[in-house]
Amino acid sequence: MSKNIVMVGAGVANVNAATKLVDNNFEGTITIIDMGKDPYVRPYEEVMTGFLGAGGWSDGKLTYHTAIGGQLSKYCGEDKAMELMDQVITNFKRFHPKPEEVQCSDPQLEPDFIKPYFGLRLFPVWHVGTDYLHEIGKNWYDYLVSKGVKFVWETKVTDIDFDNQMVMCGEFGDKYDELIFGVGKSGIDFGKKLAEKYDLPTEPKSVQIGVRFEAPQHHFQKLIDISYDFKLYRKFEDKGVSLRSFCTNNNAAYVAVEETYGDHSYNGHARKDEAYRNNMTNFGILMEIKNIEDPFEWSRNVVNKLQNNNTGLYYSPSREPSTTSEGINVEASTINWLDLVKVINAFEGYFEYIVDFIDDMKKVFPTLKDDWGIYIPEVKYLSPEPLVDYTNLALTKYPNVHFVGDALSARGISVSGAHGIFVAEDLLKS
Ligand SMILES: Cc1cc2nc3c(=O)[nH]c(=O)nc-3n(C[C@H](O)[C@H](O)[C@H](O)COP(=O)(O)OP(=O)(O)OC[C@H]3O[C@@H](n4cnc5c(N)ncnc54)[C@H](O)[C@@H]3O)c2cc1C
């Protein structure tokens, strides 16, 4: 019997799933519904929606390691995970107008000067680049259309009836035999709503919280020369806490305010244009804390306690907050060392890990001294991860509904794409 597969979201995960299916002469129908636009008309400001989803308008850094980008090897084991990520990277090169221009950075050795204070995660990263991603998107889209995949654009899926196998877009419904749910971060609330409505069992999650650290770049140049987006890490297994530097931005590096659930937290981004060069470096110092009973509520409470005058906090022993790339001050209430007591209390004993991390960076990067500042807090609210059958990422309660990509447990392009291919391989078997 030929199957009718409906995919919600035309992001990285589902585009890779559809590609795997059509490459293997899948005989059923494939319909992909997305609230965004096709790659020919998708405008620059629509960062999260449309063909290839958030991945299509991203920096295009394809990481190649199972410890980066969310969970994959948990489901399929290390070897299979690497093989799936290989397939994703091959797909990006396959539709690239100049595949020879995809560069791979692959640092091999942890430098001695960071030891014994930190470990450095070493892994290959393929750099595609935003501009090429747009061209890849068009080539990839044309291929899928030529193979009979039906796309429904600018259509928001508003509900899914798992019992009657119907995808609802307002009053219109579409019947499915198999559903692949890949709504990414832009669909985080939708996924949560469905999990509550169907009382889906979920996996326990950890807290991800910390600060955004900022300093002049020259203090870190020695490490940046080895690994541009360096990932320093340390673990306290017995305490259930690990820390890592996260999302490093250099050269033209700016701190950005994020607003979630009405509170402010911080993140960072880098501009490519030389006109924006400020010779700064910023990165998150993020703690992963296990064993907190309700990680989501706990994180929201901590973030809420760290607000002042409707924004987050800035502390530095010597510096002023920086400006955004538009030249205005990063919104933050500057606090002095006495006010740090409030921060320490809000973090309920975990802030000392961040203080130690910074103290040890001062040992490893001796020019750093007091020439740094922190924006408080940085937080990653991880979406509740529904419990799935590890062999095909199908909901334990609804075996023909598969969750993939950021809607499941991914946090990056290669892992999201790999989820999609993993599900497609299972569908091809059946
Ligand atoms: C600015 C930015 C830069 C990034 N840079 C990188 C990077 O360099 N490297 C990396 O590995 N990762 C990066 N990421 C993360 C990466 O883009 C995501 O992890 C990846 O795209 C997730 O894939 P996905 O298929 O799960 O979801 P997405 O790619 O986000 O796609 C989800 C799709 O679902 C659609 N959708 C959502 N809800 C609905 C609904 N109700 N109805 C219909 N359609 C819906 C959306 O329109 C979207 O197109 C970046 C993310 C952002 C935002």
Side-chain angles (χ1 to χ4, degrees):
M1 190 189 81
S2 80
K3 280 194 168 169
N4 171 23
I5 298 183
V6 174
M7 301 184 184
V8 183
V12 177
N14 274 337
V15 165
N16 276 281
T19 306
K20 184 78 196 180
L21 290 169
V22 298
D23 280 349
N24 288 278
N25 306 317
F26 173 73
E27 283 182 358
T29 57
I30 303 171
T31 307
I32 307 186
I33 308 171
D34 198 286
M35 61 187 182
K37 299 189 176 78
D38 81 54
Y40 286 96
V41 295
R42 178 177 169 177
Y44 278 91
E45 58 276 17
E46 292 179 10
V47 177
M48 307 289 286
T49 61
F51 189 79
L52 280 177
W57 252 224
S58 73
D59 301 342
K61 288 195 221 93
L62 309 183
T63 53
Y64 186 55
H65 193 293
T66 51
I68 311 284
Q71 315 245 18
L72 180 58
S73 52
K74 171 173 98 174
Y75 312 114
C76 58
E78 284 288 318
D79 291 349
K80 181 65 187 169
M82 298 305 283
E83 189 248 307
L84 289 165
M85 283 193 283
D86 258 336
Q87 293 193 48
V88 177
I89 292 163
T90 304
N91 277 340
F92 274 88
K93 288 190 196 157
R94 170 178 166 193
F95 297 105
H96 197 300
K98 292 184 185 163
E100 67 286 357
E101 292 200 6
V102 180
Q103 293 164 0
C104 181
S105 76
D106 189 8
Q108 294 296 325
L109 272 182
E110 283 191 337
D112 283 337
F113 69 86
I114 63 165
K115 297 173 191 165
Y117 301 105
F118 298 101
L120 180 69
R121 275 229 164 92
L122 299 168
F123 55 91
V125 183
W126 296 92
H127 296 262
V128 178
T130 310
D131 300 342
Y132 276 130
L133 273 170
H134 303 175
E135 296 312 309
I136 291 172
K138 290 174 196 164
N139 293 342
W140 205 334
Y141 176 57
D142 289 345
Y143 172 72
L144 291 176
V145 170
S146 76
K147 290 285 181 180
V149 176
K150 186 180 158 209
F151 284 88
V152 183
W153 295 115
E154 298 182 62
T155 303
K156 186 168 183 171
V157 175
T158 48
D159 201 0
I160 301 175
D161 182 341
F162 290 152
D163 296 312
N164 294 303
Q165 301 182 200
M166 292 286 286
V167 169
M168 303 306 299
C169 307
E171 63 213 58
F172 298 103
D174 211 347
K175 191 107 177 119
Y176 64 83
D177 298 317
E178 298 279 344
L179 177 82
I180 313 187
F181 188 78
V183 294
K185 283 275 180 286
S186 51
I188 189 169
D189 288 337
F190 185 34
K192 211 160 160 251
K193 192 177 109 186
L194 289 174
E196 282 162 12
K197 178 174 168 188
Y198 288 97
D199 196 18
L200 301 177
T202 53
E203 294 248 13
K205 281 266 157 173
S206 53
V207 164
Q208 307 260 345
I209 199 162
V211 299
R212 175 91 357 199
F213 182 92
E214 182 186 55
Q217 178 170 333
H218 64 89
H219 299 307
F220 293 91
Q221 196 58 50
K222 216 164 137 190
L223 185 57
I224 294 166
D225 289 343
I226 296 167
S227 173
Y228 178 88
D229 181 7
F230 57 81
K231 301 217 182 312
L232 294 169
Y233 72 93
R234 61 206 325 190
K235 272 189 175 161
F236 303 90
E237 299 270 8
D238 50 329
K239 303 279 194 302
V241 179
S242 60
L243 286 92
R244 67 190 194 281
S245 61
F246 171 81
C247 178
T248 303
N249 298 291
N250 302 313
N251 302 331
Y254 293 91
V255 172
V257 176
E258 283 185 342
E259 187 172 343
T260 328
Y261 306 112
D263 288 330
H264 282 188
S265 55
Y266 298 93
N267 205 331
H269 68 112
R271 300 291 296 248
K272 289 260 180 318
D273 193 331
E274 269 298 303
Y276 289 99
R277 179 179 275 274
N278 60 0
N279 296 316
M280 296 294 282
T281 286
N282 69 58
F283 49 86
I285 302 178
L286 273 191
M287 291 182 282
E288 175 167 341
I289 311 171
K290 293 194 172 128
N291 310 325
I292 286 192
E293 202 166 309
D294 187 342
F296 182 73
E297 266 317 300
W298 189 88
S299 309
R300 277 193 69 178
N301 261 324
V302 175
V303 171
N304 188 256
K305 285 183 201 156
L306 294 168
Q307 306 293 303
N308 192 11
N309 294 328
N310 300 322
T311 188
L313 311 175
Y314 176 77
Y315 170 75
S316 167
S318 69
R319 299 180 62 85
E320 296 292 318
S322 295
T323 57
T324 66
S325 51
E326 283 68 47
I328 49 173
N329 284 339
V330 176
E331 254 184 79
S333 293
T334 301
I335 57 168
N336 62 33
W337 67 272
L338 284 172
D339 301 321
L340 277 178
V341 174
K342 177 181 166 186
V343 176
I344 291 165
N345 288 341
F347 271 96
E348 297 183 12
Y350 290 102
F351 195 69
E352 67 182 76
Y353 290 99
I354 293 176
V355 174
D356 285 350
F357 197 96
I358 296 172
D359 279 346
D360 286 344
M361 284 200 303
K362 290 201 253 178
K363 293 177 193 148
V364 169
F365 306 100
T367 57
L368 181 61
K369 299 190 170 92
D370 284 344
D371 195 13
W372 53 270
I374 46 176
Y375 298 82
I376 315 165
E378 173 151 344
V379 66
K380 304 291 159 218
Y381 291 115
L382 300 183
S383 50
E385 181 188 333
L387 190 62
V388 291
D389 175 344
Y390 284 8
T391 62
N392 60 7
L393 311 188
L395 295 178
T396 47
K397 276 177 101 170
Y398 299 94
N400 62 345
V401 177
H402 310 262
F403 270 54
V404 289
D406 284 7
L408 183 62
S409 60
R411 289 192 298 277
I413 295 172
S414 347
V415 172
S416 295
H419 283 181
I421 295 174
F422 188 53
V423 170
E425 285 182 352
D426 184 75
L427 293 174
L428 286 165
K429 272 189 241 156
S430 61

